[in-house]
Amino acid sequence: NLTIIGESSFYGCCNLETISIPILVSEIRNQTFYECSNLRNVTFKEESNLTIIGESSFYGCCNLET
């Protein structure tokens, strides 16, 4: 029942390569995935409740595929 991914939760997690944001998540707080340099793929469900992506949430994620 995760609805918020907290600030700096995965800060600097260099081993993180892919994530899937659960449908109930409405907010990704500031710097959540900051400097996750190997993060390549982020999946959001089409029917997602996500309304807020905080400042610098994906800063330094240089390998994200579009």
Side-chain angles (χ1 to χ4, degrees):
N1 293 338
L2 180 68
T3 59
I4 295 174
I5 302 176
E7 188 168 319
S8 303
S9 294
F10 296 92
Y11 189 109
C13 186
C14 296
N15 294 321
L16 186 63
E17 294 181 6
T18 186
I19 56 169
S20 179
I21 306 299
I23 193 169
L24 295 177
V25 170
S26 62
E27 183 177 345
I28 296 174
R29 297 234 167 121
N30 297 342
Q31 301 177 340
T32 300
F33 300 102
Y34 191 97
E35 293 293 338
C36 292
S37 56
N38 289 312
L39 183 60
R40 287 180 169 68
N41 189 338
V42 180
T43 304
F44 300 93
K45 303 293 182 189
E46 189 172 316
E47 54 279 341
S48 173
N49 290 316
L50 187 63
T51 56
I52 297 171
I53 297 178
E55 184 176 325
S56 301
S57 291
F58 293 94
Y59 180 86
C61 298
C62 303
N63 293 312
L64 282 176
E65 298 174 2
T66 56

